[in-house]
């Protein structure tokens, strides 16, 4: 009996060790049924939403995505599109990229001087006055038109913006019917439940079904965005018409509208914090895919951030509303974060290599 008990204990210990090893291996390889978020280093626990079983099996074949951004014909918008397209071309050809075709969706209703440089589809703007001075409302309407008229070869679409710079080759971060999105710290559906419920009724589920995202950057299957886009447009317009919502959401109203529209269609996003960074708040570009230069970067000559006050050294896209920034912008002083230095270097490289830069 003593010898049998010893063998039994050894068997149980070995069996438990094997089971633990398999569990850890499966979690590292496929994720957890408790809900996961994804970083460049792999999967980690984060109770954002429950990932269905069919999503846990990783793709092994390539799934190219089409890069699409909406734009106006304003000089301010055009030079950003040129920088964005330059870096798209550089990163697309490198190993690890799943970037497919590219389209600038121009919602001015007429052609401009970049038609031969950047693949472009012209669509109509909203009817006069409908955007109420909030030009971003044209974005969902532009996607609705593009998806109806364009022949998109890729199964997936990346919704991007002119002020995005690709830092490295971008793989397809989506999995099947679950798009990939960047979580914005200022999009807080759970803290705005009273307003969200005007557009996302209780019968649709908890307000936590609304992801803390905007429409960009998002990699999504094109059949899903084709369903979501008309709802996104309608919710955007309804939000803008509601004074309480308009006041509460302000310049991020259209972002909330996309998040609500997705939830209305039962679409949940995989939240990727490595999808994008935003200087000056994010300090490093390491292991990030997209640099979003929406914020101004102001520093004194000691390399100290002076946000809210114009710095002795600065880079702010809004300083160049009437035309492109000059070539060879001065680099920031020592002590400024690597993300800001990289931003200026990449704008400089693009402007140095884009023909007729000054005529944007």
């Amino acid at each position: 009996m003593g010898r049998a008990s010893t063998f039994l204990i050894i068997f149980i210990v070995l069996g438990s060790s094997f089971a633990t090893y398999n569990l850890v291996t499966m979690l590292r390889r496929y994720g957890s049924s408790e809900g996961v978020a994804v970083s460049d280093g792999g999967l980690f626990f984060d109770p954002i939403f429950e990932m269905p079983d069919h999503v846990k099996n990783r793709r092994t074949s390539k799934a190219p995505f089409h890069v699409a951004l909406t734009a106006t014909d304003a000089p301010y918008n055009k030079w950003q599109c040129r920088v964005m397209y330059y870096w798209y071309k550089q990163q697309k050809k490198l190993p690890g990229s799943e970037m497919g075709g590219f389209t600038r969706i121009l919602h001015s209703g007429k052609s401009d001087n970049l038609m031969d440089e950047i693949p472009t589809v012209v669509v109509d703007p909203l009817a006069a006055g409908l955007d109420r001075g909030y030009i971003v409302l044209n974005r969902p309407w532009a996607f609705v038109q593009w998806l109806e008229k364009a022949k998109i070869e890729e199964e997936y679409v990346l919704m991007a913006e002119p002020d995005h710079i690709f830092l490295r080759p971008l793989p397809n971060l989506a999995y099947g019917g679950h798009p990939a999105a960047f979580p914005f710290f200022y999009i807080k559906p759970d803290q705005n439940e009273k307003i969200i419920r005007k557009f996302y009724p209780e019968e649709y589920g908890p307000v936590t079904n609304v992801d803390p995202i905007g429409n960009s950057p998002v990699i999504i299957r094109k059949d899903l965005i084709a369903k979501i886009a008309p709802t996104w447009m309608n919710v955007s317009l309804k939000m803008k018409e509601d004074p309480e919502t308009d006041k509460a959401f302000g310049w991020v109203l259209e972002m909330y509208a996309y998040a609500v529209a997705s939830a209305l269609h039962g679409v949940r996003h995989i939240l990727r914090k490595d999808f994008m960074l935003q200087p000056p708040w994010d300090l490093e570009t390491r292991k990030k895919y997209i640099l979003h230069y929406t914020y101004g970067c102001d520093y004194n000559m000691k390399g100290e951030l002076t946000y809210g006050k114009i710095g002795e050294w600065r880079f702010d896209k809004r300083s160049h509303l009437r035309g492109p920034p000059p070539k060879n912008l001065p680099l920031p002083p020592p002590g400024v974060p690597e993300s800001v230095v990289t931003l200026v270097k990449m704008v400089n490289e693009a402007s140095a290599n884009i023909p007729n830069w000054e005529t944007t």
Side-chain angles (χ1 to χ4, degrees):
M1 285 293 293
R3 178 181 293 179
S5 298
T6 301
F7 282 125
L8 180 60
I9 291 170
I10 293 172
F11 177 79
I12 291 172
V13 169
L14 289 174
S16 298
S17 300
F18 182 76
T20 301
Y21 170 80
N22 277 319
L23 177 61
V24 171
T25 302
M26 289 175 65
L27 287 175
R28 292 187 64 180
R29 186 176 181 186
Y30 299 118
S32 164
S33 61
E34 295 298 332
V36 300
V38 188
S39 74
D40 188 66
L43 299 170
F44 59 88
F45 295 105
D46 193 348
I48 295 171
F49 68 89
E50 185 170 341
M51 185 177 282
D53 290 337
H54 70 277
V55 180
K56 296 173 190 174
N57 295 316
R58 298 286 191 102
R59 285 183 293 103
T60 55
S61 59
K62 280 199 169 187
F65 55 87
H66 195 97
V67 179
L69 73 157
T70 57
T72 72
D73 59 357
Y76 166 73
N77 217 249
K78 287 158 77 173
W79 70 257
Q80 294 174 50
C81 288
R82 298 183 84 188
V83 172
M84 197 269 199
Y85 185 59
Y86 172 84
W87 283 108
Y88 154 81
K89 291 188 294 182
Q90 304 310 305
Q91 305 298 355
K92 179 188 176 183
K93 59 191 178 184
L94 297 179
S97 169
E98 292 184 81
M99 303 158 111
F102 187 102
T103 300
R104 180 182 62 135
I105 309 171
L106 183 62
H107 55 75
S108 61
K110 60 183 185 298
S111 301
D112 66 5
N113 64 336
L114 296 183
M115 303 294 291
D116 294 332
E117 179 180 333
I118 304 175
T120 300
V121 171
V122 178
V123 298
D124 294 325
L126 288 169
L130 200 56
D131 63 10
R132 298 169 182 255
Y134 180 53
I135 196 169
V136 183
L137 283 184
N138 284 280
R139 183 175 294 157
W141 173 224
F143 269 105
V144 169
Q145 296 175 81
W146 176 64
L147 290 162
E148 287 178 349
K149 66 165 47 176
K151 183 178 180 181
I152 307 164
E153 295 182 1
E154 299 85 357
E155 185 181 1
Y156 291 84
V157 172
L158 164 65
M159 294 188 286
E161 296 181 14
D163 59 354
H164 286 177
I165 293 178
F166 293 107
L167 293 165
R168 51 187 42 85
L170 179 60
N172 189 339
L173 305 177
Y175 292 104
H178 288 267
F182 176 78
F184 289 91
F185 70 89
Y186 49 79
I187 302 296
K188 301 176 180 179
D190 58 331
Q191 295 183 22
N192 292 279
E193 182 166 3
K194 179 185 173 185
I195 294 175
I196 293 293
R197 284 303 186 194
K198 293 183 179 184
F199 313 95
Y200 187 74
E202 289 188 7
E203 57 262 32
Y204 281 87
V207 75
T208 51
N209 285 348
V210 181
D211 293 324
I213 60 172
N215 83 290
S216 177
V218 167
I219 300 178
I220 185 169
R221 226 169 51 199
K222 65 184 176 185
D223 62 309
L224 292 179
I225 187 56
K227 294 176 182 177
I228 293 170
T231 308
W232 172 26
M233 180 186 71
N234 290 329
V235 172
S236 296
L237 293 172
K238 289 178 180 178
M239 284 185 170
K240 191 64 180 176
E241 291 170 358
D242 182 71
E244 182 185 18
T245 305
D246 190 21
K247 181 179 179 180
F249 291 165
W251 65 276
V252 296
L253 180 149
E254 168 267 342
M255 298 172 70
Y256 271 102
Y258 174 79
V260 168
S262 299
L264 288 170
H265 285 276
V267 175
R268 302 302 307 275
H269 295 70
I270 300 170
L271 305 185
R272 298 280 309 219
K273 295 180 180 179
D274 60 343
F275 208 158
M276 189 170 75
L277 78 150
Q278 303 183 97
W281 311 118
D282 297 311
L283 307 182
E284 295 183 350
T285 62
R286 189 174 67 91
K287 294 187 177 181
K288 302 292 176 66
Y289 291 107
I290 293 173
L291 189 154
H292 184 208
Y293 54 101
T294 190
Y295 297 107
C297 301
D298 289 274
Y299 294 86
N300 61 29
M301 299 313 291
K302 296 179 181 179
E304 299 168 334
L305 182 66
T306 63
Y307 195 77
K309 178 183 177 182
I310 294 178
E312 297 173 85
W313 181 94
R314 76 182 323 234
F315 178 86
D316 188 337
K317 64 180 184 178
R318 296 163 192 83
S319 300
H320 310 285
L321 296 176
R322 297 183 179 181
K327 292 184 177 182
N328 197 28
L329 291 167
L331 294 178
V336 170
E338 177 269 333
S339 61
V340 178
V341 177
T342 297
L343 165 60
V344 178
K345 286 182 176 180
M346 295 185 83
V347 171
N348 280 345
E349 178 176 331
S351 65
N353 289 282
I354 294 173
N356 303 313
W357 172 250
E358 295 84 356
T359 61
T360 298

